[in-house]
Amino acid sequence: MREFVIDASVAVKWYTTVGEDDLAQADGLLQGYVDGSCQFIAPTLIIYELGNALRFNPNFKVAEVRRAIKDFLDLQITLEDSHKILESAVDLAFRHSFTVYDAAYAALAQIHGIPMITADYRFYDRAKELPFIEALKDLKI
């Protein structure tokens, strides 16, 4: 079974299709999770980032954001307390000029020795030299 750290840019694609690229890859990744062929892990931060991204999507109202967050939590993805990875995240953020938010996902991937999947291609362009960062658009499931 393959394991991945997913970031909020991937999770957002599961709830919105307007203006989103790489939906087939995102859906395939989610289907792999549902089928049991892969597992996901993310920092607890993902819940807030997902909610924030959907809150600022003009197609979402309060009820839709709440429903999306509930649906995401119902997936029972392994969520790791962000404070457990904070030191590593800060180190990565300074070393690679990442935000601490983005570095939290990268640190989790580095600590667990598994790939981090992102659809945030501005982040990916800065992080692609790290061997554990993968672009959603390049993922083969």
Side-chain angles (χ1 to χ4, degrees):
M1 176 182 320
R2 296 178 70 189
E3 291 182 287
F4 302 101
V5 170
I6 56 161
D7 72 3
S9 68
V10 173
V12 164
K13 293 179 182 302
W14 299 336
Y15 301 99
T16 182
T17 57
V18 177
E20 295 290 335
D21 295 323
D22 307 319
L23 291 174
Q25 292 91 335
D27 289 345
L29 191 60
L30 180 59
Q31 190 59 51
Y33 177 79
V34 170
D35 292 346
S37 62
C38 62
Q39 290 292 317
F40 300 147
I41 186 171
T44 54
L45 169 67
I46 196 170
I47 300 164
Y48 300 96
E49 286 200 305
L50 173 62
N52 194 58
L54 297 178
R55 181 264 180 262
F56 284 102
N57 181 320
N59 298 314
F60 279 73
K61 304 290 185 237
V62 171
E64 287 94 1
V65 173
R66 286 180 179 159
R67 186 176 319 110
I69 292 170
K70 180 191 177 306
D71 290 348
F72 179 80
L73 291 171
D74 286 347
L75 289 171
Q76 298 184 359
I77 292 169
T78 301
L79 298 176
E80 189 159 313
D81 288 334
S82 297
H83 74 274
K84 292 181 180 178
I85 57 173
L86 187 56
E87 187 173 318
S88 295
V90 170
D91 288 345
L92 279 170
F94 274 91
R95 197 171 327 124
H96 298 284
S97 297
F98 301 155
T99 66
V100 175
Y101 302 116
D102 290 335
Y105 297 95
L108 192 57
Q110 186 177 43
I111 290 166
H112 285 274
I114 60 176
M116 174 195 162
I117 308 300
T118 186
D120 178 346
Y121 298 122
R122 287 185 297 177
F123 167 71
Y124 178 73
D125 285 342
R126 291 189 316 275
K128 63 186 171 189
E129 79 272 0
L130 297 173
F132 50 87
I133 308 290
E134 296 184 22
L136 177 65
K137 66 183 176 184
D138 298 332
L139 187 64
K140 306 287 188 261
I141 291 285

